[in-house]
Amino acid sequence: SGTLLRCGGPGPAKEASLGIADLVGMAVGTHPSILAKRGEVVAAEADKSSARWQYFPTPSISAGRDSHGVDNSTIAVQQPLWAGGRIDAGMEYANAKAVSADRSVTEAQHTIAVSVTDSYQAWLLARGRKEAQQRSVMLHEERKASMQRRVASGVSAEVDLDLVASRLAAAKSDLESSESAVRTAMARLLQAVGCTVHEADLRLTEDEVGVESLDAVLANAESSFPLLKRQEADIDAAKQMVGVKRASLSPTLSLRAESVRNSPAAYGAP
């Protein structure tokens, strides 16, 4: 686990204001895994630029001394005229890798969003169980107080008070377990979000959202599910790589222009 960033201000808000959409927004904006994917996008764009420059002339400069002690310098420009499709294939491959990198960001955002949603739901469930256990303890304490009065007045036997006390102890034990579950769920939620939020800031209710039919959900998943879209881009990149490998077997025809300057060595031949 890494260090958590602080998402909000120095302390909890006066009113709970963070819902699931807010938490997902925080996560997709700052989570380290998404930042890493965005770095891959930058690298892929650099590869595209490099592939594009293969279409342009390549300048070169060289210098040396021949066996007669004459210094020479050469300035040359070389322009590929035909490369068997290697340059085009390299450009197409770079484009496909850039698309794959871009879709990897969306895939990572989707993965983080699902993780945050699951963690938020787990926290809500744990919080609800805790509140239910708190009410249970209150009811058992009231029953114990009532039973103590009944035993003191001789209406009920001492064994009845022992039974109520035993049930109260069990309710308190359940409350402690539910409180531990809330802390665990909150820790997992913070880890999923990737930055620090306060439990008091979290909303306990969300606006109702209409649910599509199962067929509509499946159709939407098939057409836009991030994992599938990224895999499509990977397949396209693999196909373009085949073209690059095939084109690399062909010779390259280039036009070269150069200018050579000779001058006697300053100290004679070695």
Side-chain angles (χ1 to χ4, degrees):
S1 60
T3 302
L4 295 179
L5 303 175
R6 181 174 296 278
C7 295
K14 294 181 179 179
E15 296 182 0
S17 58
L18 299 178
I20 182 62
D22 303 300
L23 296 174
V24 169
M26 291 175 181
V28 300
T30 61
H31 201 278
S33 64
I34 295 177
L35 297 180
K37 291 297 183 182
R38 287 174 176 162
E40 293 178 6
V41 171
V42 174
E45 289 297 327
D47 289 342
K48 280 178 60 178
S49 178
S50 177
R52 190 178 297 111
W53 276 105
Q54 299 301 310
Y55 289 102
F56 296 93
T58 302
S60 62
I61 300 176
S62 61
R65 179 180 295 176
D66 63 19
S67 59
H68 301 289
V70 177
D71 292 332
N72 59 74
S73 59
T74 304
I75 300 175
V77 176
Q78 183 168 305
Q79 170 67 53
L81 301 179
W82 183 82
R86 175 181 56 81
I87 298 177
D88 290 339
M91 189 72 242
E92 292 298 325
Y93 174 71
N95 286 332
K97 290 296 291 182
V99 172
S100 175
D102 186 65
R103 291 180 179 179
S104 292
V105 174
T106 304
E107 180 186 4
Q109 290 174 333
H110 177 267
T111 300
I112 294 300
V114 171
S115 177
V116 171
T117 302
D118 290 343
S119 299
Y120 182 73
Q121 181 185 31
W123 173 79
L124 282 178
L125 292 174
R127 179 67 180 262
R129 294 190 184 98
K130 173 185 173 181
E131 292 176 350
Q133 291 300 329
Q134 287 174 330
R135 290 192 296 269
S136 176
V137 168
M138 291 178 59
L139 288 175
H140 280 86
E141 287 177 340
E142 292 174 358
R143 290 182 179 179
K144 180 180 178 181
S146 175
M147 185 59 65
Q148 286 173 333
R149 291 192 295 270
R150 290 173 64 86
V151 170
S153 62
V155 177
S156 296
E158 190 72 28
V159 67
D160 294 331
L161 178 59
D162 293 339
L163 178 60
V164 172
S166 175
R167 290 177 177 175
L168 174 59
K172 288 182 177 180
S173 177
D174 291 340
L175 176 58
E176 291 178 358
S177 297
S178 64
E179 289 174 341
S180 176
V182 170
R183 290 192 294 270
T184 300
M186 188 65 191
R188 290 177 178 173
L189 177 59
L190 295 181
Q191 193 66 39
V193 174
C195 56
T196 300
V197 294
H198 299 276
E199 185 174 359
D201 293 343
L202 302 180
R203 287 201 303 264
L204 298 179
T205 59
E206 291 287 336
D207 296 332
E208 293 186 3
V209 179
V211 179
E212 298 179 288
S213 66
L214 179 59
D215 291 340
V217 171
L218 293 176
N220 182 60
E222 291 177 357
S223 63
S224 61
F225 192 65
L227 174 61
L228 297 179
K229 302 299 288 185
R230 194 264 301 164
Q231 289 179 337
E232 288 177 358
D234 286 347
I235 292 173
D236 184 37
K239 291 179 179 178
Q240 299 302 332
M241 176 52 72
V242 172
V244 172
K245 295 295 185 182
R246 184 181 296 114
S248 66
L249 301 177
S250 301
T252 299
L253 176 62
S254 300
L255 176 65
R256 179 181 174 87
E258 64 179 37
S259 174
V260 180
R261 298 185 62 182
N262 298 322
S263 62
Y267 301 102

